[in-house]
């Protein structure tokens, strides 16, 4: 009589994967041998994230968005210093004001054009899909704006309570102004992004022509500044450069969504032309080398954006297009039309590319929360020691030398840990409720 070994049971069928961050059935693949239980759970979560990704999703877009938000966060942490002055109050400072030689480093961390470039592509695809499904422009825009506004509410409430507490305890006006400015000044980005989102139908219809018109406007207003100065009405009119300059990469992202820039030569032309134009404007036209605001100089490339910032953004867009192929392979996708899949998902093993993709997804799903709370994370780390009477270099000292830069780099992991705590607390405000349980990663 044949007896079956108890280990010869047929494998259970693989169940459908649901969204890894919104709950769902556990991964049904075999356990990874000789690995701790915690690693097995991470392994399963990574595979669920990969399985929840639609096969036709271009993962390079998500990687570019993650790089953009990481550049903004790290850039702010490196150039925003809070210094304890002799009067006992806190004032803002920047290492770029003391060490101009660091200006080229801002080219790595000033990634706003990249964010608008990716944002234009994603918004256009969302708008076109909504219109195809019969959704009105008003409804579509309301949903997009709600996703922008909702995460701001807890930040505003938290800092309203913090402001009331600081006032009640007699904190110096200079300190309150410094803290509130550092937290809320980056929010201009959301206002501009909302305005450009509302213009999505325009860029869908006119694409690259919209970018050309916006570029001519920026150049004309910059020329007017050179001729008539930047005071009074001229300075007010030049504020139009803020939406016009960022409309350029946004419109280029829309054109990318429509199939433009398929040839590498076009992307290379953007990269080379933008780089050469930026260098020429800095070397021979008096524009600052720093691509972020620096206390002191009369001209800033960001307040409002200049033609140098526009040229630099064009170079970033070209570089992003050229990097799409390598980025797809880096996160385990072979092409822009299909992710790499193993037919038998039950026997899959997580590769390094899967772990990288999982990190990108986690950051992309909470990109706005990370953006909103990153300065609060830095300030929390800075203020808590002061409240305990502890004065620490790299947190409270003047950023006037290379030693400060090295110390600030050492503090960044702690900033990141505090930011992770804020992300855990407030990321639910960013996640659209209508996507819960759909089983896919949404844009």
């Amino acid at each position: 009589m044949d007896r079956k070994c108890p280990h010869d049971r047929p494998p259970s069928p693989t169940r459908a994967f649901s969204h890894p961050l919104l709950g769902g059935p556990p991964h049904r693949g075999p356990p990874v041998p000789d690995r701790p239980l915690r690693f097995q759970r991470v392994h399963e979560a990574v595979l669920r994230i990969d399985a929840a990704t639609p096969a036709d999703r271009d993962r390079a877009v998500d990687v570019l968005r993650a790089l953009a938000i990481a550049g903004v966060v790290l850039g702010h942490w490196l150039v925003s210093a809070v210094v304890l002055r002799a009067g006992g109050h806190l004032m803002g400072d920047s290492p770029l004001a003391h060490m101009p030689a660091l200006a080229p480093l801002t080219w790595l961390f000033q990634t706003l054009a990249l964010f608008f470039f990716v944002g234009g592509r994603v918004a256009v695809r969302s708008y076109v899909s909504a219109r195809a499904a019969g959704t009105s422009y008003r409804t579509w825009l309301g949903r997009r704006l709600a996703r922008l506004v909702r995460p701001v509410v807890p930040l505003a409430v938290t800092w309203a309570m913090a402001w009331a507490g600081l006032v009640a305890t007699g904190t110096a006006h200079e300190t309150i102004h410094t803290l509130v400015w550092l937290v809320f000044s980056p929010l201009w980005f959301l206002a501009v992004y909302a305005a450009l989102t509302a213009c999505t139908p325009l860029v869908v219809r006119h694409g690259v022509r919209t970018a050309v018109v916006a570029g001519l406007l920026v150049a004309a207003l910059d020329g007017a500044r050179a001729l008539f100065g930047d005071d009074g009405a001229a300075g007010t009119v030049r504020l139009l450069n803020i939406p016009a300059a960022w409309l350029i990469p946004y419109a280029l992202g829309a054109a990318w969504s429509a199939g433009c820039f398929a040839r590498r030569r076009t992307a290379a032309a953007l990269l080379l032309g933008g780089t050469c134009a930026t260098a020429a404007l800095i070397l021979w036209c008096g524009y600052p080398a720093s691509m972020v605001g620096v206390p002191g100089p009369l001209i800033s490339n960001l307040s409002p954006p200049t033609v140098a910032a526009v040229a630099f953004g064009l170079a970033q867009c070209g570089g992003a297009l050229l990097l799409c192929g390598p980025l797809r392979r880096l996160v385990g996708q072979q092409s822009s039309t299909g992710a790499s899949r193993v037919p038998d998902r039950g026997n899959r093993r997580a590769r390094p590319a899967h772990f990288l993709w999982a990190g990108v997804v986690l950051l992309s799903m909470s990109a706005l929360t990370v953006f909103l709370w990153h300065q609060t994370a830095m300030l929390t780390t800075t203020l808590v020691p002061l409240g305990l009477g502890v004065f620490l270099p790299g947190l409270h000292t003047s950023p006037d030398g290379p030693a400060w830069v090295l110390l600030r780099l050492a503090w960044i992991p702690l900033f990141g840990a505090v930011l992770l705590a804020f992300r855990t607390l407030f990321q639910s405000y960013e996640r659209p409720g209508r996507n819960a349980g759909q089983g896919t990663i949404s844009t």
Side-chain angles (χ1 to χ4, degrees):
M1 180 176 179
D2 295 335
R3 302 183 62 182
K4 294 184 179 180
C5 176
H7 299 290
D8 291 340
R9 299 171 182 172
S12 58
T14 302
R15 296 177 59 185
F17 291 87
S18 67
H19 198 296
L21 302 180
L22 302 177
H27 180 64
R28 294 298 183 182
V32 180
D34 301 326
R35 295 294 177 91
L37 179 60
R38 181 176 299 177
F39 182 84
Q40 289 185 25
R41 291 174 178 172
V42 172
H43 177 274
E44 292 168 359
V46 166
L47 289 179
R48 286 201 298 270
I49 290 175
D50 184 69
T53 306
D56 60 348
R57 186 184 185 95
D58 189 353
R59 300 188 181 192
V61 175
D62 294 277
V63 179
L64 290 173
R65 179 164 46 192
L67 290 175
I69 191 63
V72 170
V73 170
L74 292 176
H76 280 163
W77 285 350
L78 288 172
V79 304
S80 300
V82 180
V83 180
L84 184 63
R85 298 300 185 188
H89 58 267
L90 299 175
M91 295 294 291
D93 204 347
S94 172
L96 298 173
H98 301 276
M99 296 173 282
L102 295 179
L105 292 179
T106 63
W107 305 345
L108 297 177
F109 299 108
Q110 207 292 72
T111 54
L112 287 173
L114 183 59
F115 210 113
F116 284 107
F117 183 55
V118 173
R121 173 185 169 90
V122 172
V124 165
R125 290 174 67 89
S126 172
Y127 174 73
V128 171
S129 298
R131 296 297 290 168
T135 304
S136 67
Y137 165 73
R138 182 176 179 179
T139 300
W140 172 83
L141 181 61
R143 290 173 179 172
R144 301 294 291 189
L145 295 183
R147 292 178 64 176
L148 288 176
V149 174
R150 189 185 302 112
V152 180
V153 174
L155 180 73
V157 171
T158 299
W159 273 98
M161 294 188 296
W163 175 83
L166 292 171
V167 172
T169 55
T171 305
H173 168 74
E174 295 86 352
T175 295
I176 296 177
H177 178 270
T178 297
L179 300 180
V180 173
W181 174 257
L182 285 173
V183 171
F184 288 99
S185 60
L187 267 61
W188 68 264
F189 167 83
L190 295 183
V192 174
Y193 196 87
L196 296 183
T197 300
C199 295
T200 299
L202 176 67
V203 298
V204 168
R205 287 192 297 268
H206 300 289
V208 176
R209 286 178 291 181
T210 307
V212 172
V213 172
L216 292 175
L217 176 61
V218 173
L221 293 178
D222 251 22
R225 175 194 56 79
L227 292 175
F228 306 111
D230 206 14
D231 299 327
T236 303
V237 172
R238 209 165 74 86
L239 293 177
L240 292 173
N241 274 7
I242 297 176
W246 303 122
L247 177 59
I248 296 170
Y250 191 86
L252 293 179
W256 181 23
S257 177
C260 297
F261 312 121
R263 296 182 177 181
R264 291 180 61 86
R265 68 176 68 177
T266 307
L270 277 176
L271 175 60
L272 182 60
T275 301
C276 292
T278 304
L281 290 167
I282 292 173
L283 294 174
W284 299 307
C285 298
Y287 287 90
S290 174
M291 287 297 154
V292 300
V294 180
L298 296 178
I299 303 176
S300 169
N301 279 323
L302 282 187
S303 302
T306 64
V307 289
V310 170
F312 181 72
L314 293 177
Q316 282 187 321
C317 294
L321 290 168
L322 292 175
L323 284 175
C324 281
L327 291 178
R328 292 182 191 113
R329 292 189 292 272
L330 186 66
V331 292
Q333 186 175 14
Q334 299 302 323
S335 69
S336 60
T337 58
S340 61
R341 301 285 186 187
V342 177
D344 185 5
R345 287 180 176 175
N347 293 323
R348 296 183 67 195
R349 298 292 181 88
R351 302 190 300 271
H354 294 126
F355 285 93
L356 287 174
W357 175 239
V360 168
V361 169
L362 293 175
L363 180 54
S364 294
M365 289 183 63
S366 56
L368 189 52
T369 303
V370 169
F371 172 78
L372 291 172
W373 289 92
H374 74 280
Q375 290 290 69
T376 302
M378 182 195 72
L379 292 175
T380 301
T381 309
T382 302
L383 296 178
V384 169
L386 281 181
L388 299 175
V390 179
F391 184 82
L392 297 171
L395 282 184
H396 314 119
T397 52
S398 178
D400 54 4
W404 184 93
V405 177
L406 296 177
L407 290 169
R408 176 51 63 101
L409 289 172
W411 283 111
I412 282 181
L414 184 56
F415 295 166
V418 177
L419 178 58
L420 181 60
F422 284 130
R423 174 193 172 276
T424 303
L425 288 173
F426 299 110
Q427 67 174 338
S428 60
Y429 289 88
E430 183 173 356
R431 185 184 305 150
R434 63 188 180 90
N435 287 334
Q438 285 185 353
T440 58
I441 298 172
S442 62
T443 55

